[in-house]
Amino acid sequence: MFDKAVGMENVISMGIGEPDMATPTLVCEACKEALDLGMTHYTPNAGTMMLRKAIAEKSYISKLNYDPKTEIIITNGGMGALSLLFLVILEEGELVARETTPPHSVVFTMRPGDLVGVAALLEREPFKYELSASKDSKITLVTEECMESELKRLPLWLLALIRNLSAKTHLLKRAAIETRVRNSLKSLAEYLCHKPSDTEFNLAELLREYSFLTKISTTVAQEDFKSLLRRHLIKLSQKNGRVFCKIVDPELLDIFTDYIRAQETETEFAPYRLSIVQKKILVFLSTIEESPEKTGPDWIGYIHEKFPDADVSQWINLLQIQWFVKSDPKNPECDLFKIHKAKVHYFLKALRYETNIRGVL
């Protein structure tokens, strides 16, 4: 009917509740600001708590003292609100469920005996599709009051089963929207360390992508970006009114994540528990361009010659922190060792940027 009314003259369509005035400028500006802040993700099923509180406090219903946590929900229109109140049982005909947003694709088809809206009714959450009849149909609507009266007649074991399934459904829905990340700063560093250092990324797009992948709020992500910026692990620049982010050194971010991981396990980060002798040995090993292959005793003698304080126990420690590896790891009889250049470089960089890693700039 709405489509027919659009093409007719001198007809007032009452098919949808759309106002005949333009959207107020204040609302448009608020929408633009929200988009710029990255507020483009799914909201909680009942609507954001900020909006629900505003409705409770500032609208005409404020005198009614509704609780925004339990008595106010946000829906996309009156149809969305009505869909909270019932489930549909199709007795005859055929119904199709469509997406509420263009192009309104068909999601599923209901045939006699099918029902829909159970989870929405049990969980008191909006049914997210629009139902329409593709042919003459007969349906039964089960309201919340009807459902409650029927549930009272069920055996206790069946009622307990329904509640258990409902609770599991609720947990699965929460898992789909809640983040599983325990340390958001470590998560962001891990995410950025896989980005190339020779590219400038649009910060707003980076925030949106990261928030989408981790379900971490943009507010928390912005604070973590600031933390990395203070440590000089990333750089920000502005061009044409847009902010861009550049990774200083992906390996440094990788070291930073290892440092946080050590903090989480309440263990001291390996590069920061080196003795003075070990630090001297580290600098010395970093100057050797091509690592010779020597037996353990030969390396002990070689290191002791350069650093008299180093003994056999020092050699064992160097093996534990993997500064030396076997020349042929696959050969159990191999007794030759060489310098693990990558590991030495890792420790050296961790020490060089210790103030950045610890955040004590």
Side-chain angles (χ1 to χ4, degrees):
M1 293 299 296
F2 173 69
D3 292 335
K4 290 181 179 179
V6 170
M8 301 174 67
E9 296 181 359
N10 300 321
V11 172
I12 299 175
S13 174
M14 302 183 71
I16 57 176
E18 183 176 357
D20 59 355
M21 80 237 358
T23 303
T25 304
L26 178 65
V27 177
C28 294
E29 292 299 328
C31 290
K32 292 177 184 177
E33 183 179 352
L35 291 173
D36 292 337
L37 292 174
M39 299 172 67
T40 56
H41 305 288
Y42 288 113
T43 62
N45 291 319
T48 62
M49 185 55 64
M50 183 185 301
L51 177 56
R52 287 150 64 190
K53 285 182 178 179
I55 291 174
E57 296 171 0
K58 300 180 181 179
S59 71
Y60 66 91
I61 68 170
S62 59
K63 296 181 181 180
L64 301 177
N65 297 319
Y66 281 114
D67 184 352
K69 295 183 179 179
T70 58
E71 298 181 305
I72 296 178
I73 61 171
I74 311 300
T75 65
N76 356 323
M79 292 304 296
L82 288 174
S83 67
L84 280 172
L85 304 178
F86 54 78
L87 60 83
V88 177
I89 302 174
L90 179 61
E91 297 183 15
E92 299 175 5
E94 184 179 84
L95 298 180
V96 292
R98 299 178 182 273
E99 296 281 0
T100 57
T101 55
H104 304 289
S105 305
V106 175
V107 181
F108 60 85
T109 301
M110 290 181 61
R111 293 179 173 81
D114 292 345
L115 56 84
V116 68
V118 177
L121 185 59
L122 290 176
E123 299 295 331
R124 290 179 170 83
E125 295 179 354
F127 180 63
K128 59 183 179 180
Y129 304 118
E130 291 180 349
L131 292 177
S132 60
S134 56
K135 58 178 69 172
D136 290 340
S137 303
K138 180 181 179 181
I139 64 174
T140 297
L141 301 180
V142 181
T143 64
E144 187 175 354
E145 291 79 8
C146 178
M147 175 66 82
E148 289 180 353
S149 65
E150 290 300 318
L151 288 177
K152 291 178 182 178
R153 302 180 185 181
L154 294 178
L156 291 178
W157 67 267
L158 182 56
L159 187 59
L161 178 62
I162 293 174
R163 287 177 175 173
N164 184 48
L165 292 174
S166 177
K168 289 183 177 179
T169 302
H170 185 67
L171 290 175
L172 288 173
K173 288 181 178 179
R174 285 184 59 186
I177 61 174
E178 291 182 353
T179 181
R180 295 184 179 181
V181 176
R182 294 183 178 181
N183 190 315
S184 60
L185 182 57
K186 184 182 74 172
S187 173
L188 178 60
E190 288 176 333
Y191 166 74
L192 293 177
C193 76
H194 296 289
K195 300 288 185 181
S197 59
D198 58 350
T199 305
E200 289 187 335
F201 299 93
N202 184 300
L203 182 60
E205 294 177 0
L206 209 59
L207 270 169
R208 281 194 292 269
E209 181 184 68
Y210 174 69
S211 297
F212 174 77
L213 292 172
T214 61
K215 300 182 178 67
I216 293 175
S217 70
T218 53
T219 302
V220 173
Q222 286 172 345
E223 291 302 315
D224 290 336
F225 266 96
K226 291 178 182 177
S227 181
L228 295 181
L229 181 63
R230 286 194 297 268
R231 288 177 164 86
H232 301 295
L233 300 179
I234 61 173
K235 291 181 179 179
L236 297 183
S237 59
Q238 193 167 2
K239 297 178 182 178
N240 300 324
R242 296 182 178 182
V243 180
F244 292 86
C245 175
K246 187 174 182 179
I247 314 303
V248 174
D249 185 348
E251 187 181 14
L252 205 53
L253 284 169
D254 190 41
I255 294 172
F256 179 61
T257 60
D258 290 341
Y259 170 74
I260 296 179
R261 195 174 290 113
Q263 285 187 318
E264 290 176 336
T265 57
E266 297 183 352
T267 56
E268 192 174 0
F269 188 40
Y272 300 155
R273 63 169 182 257
L274 297 179
S275 65
I276 295 177
V277 174
Q278 288 174 331
K279 290 179 181 179
K280 291 179 179 180
I281 295 174
L282 175 66
V283 175
F284 170 70
L285 294 178
S286 67
T287 62
I288 301 176
E289 295 184 1
E290 294 293 331
S291 173
E293 296 183 356
K294 299 175 181 288
T295 63
D298 287 343
W299 273 117
I300 293 172
Y302 182 70
I303 294 174
H304 181 71
E305 181 182 346
K306 301 290 182 179
F307 306 94
D309 293 337
D311 52 16
V312 176
S313 63
Q314 196 66 259
W315 167 249
I316 296 174
N317 289 332
L318 299 183
L319 289 177
Q320 289 177 342
I321 57 181
Q322 300 178 353
W323 289 1
F324 290 90
V325 292
K326 283 190 174 184
S327 300
D328 186 3
K330 296 181 180 180
N331 183 4
E333 297 181 358
C334 177
D335 61 350
L336 295 177
F337 294 86
K338 64 179 180 180
I339 302 171
H340 192 334
K341 298 293 289 184
K343 185 64 71 172
V344 168
H345 175 75
Y346 174 94
F347 271 72
L348 199 64
K349 180 172 285 190
L351 288 172
R352 183 175 298 164
Y353 294 96
E354 182 174 358
T355 54
N356 301 71
I357 299 298
R358 291 186 184 273
V360 291
L361 298 175

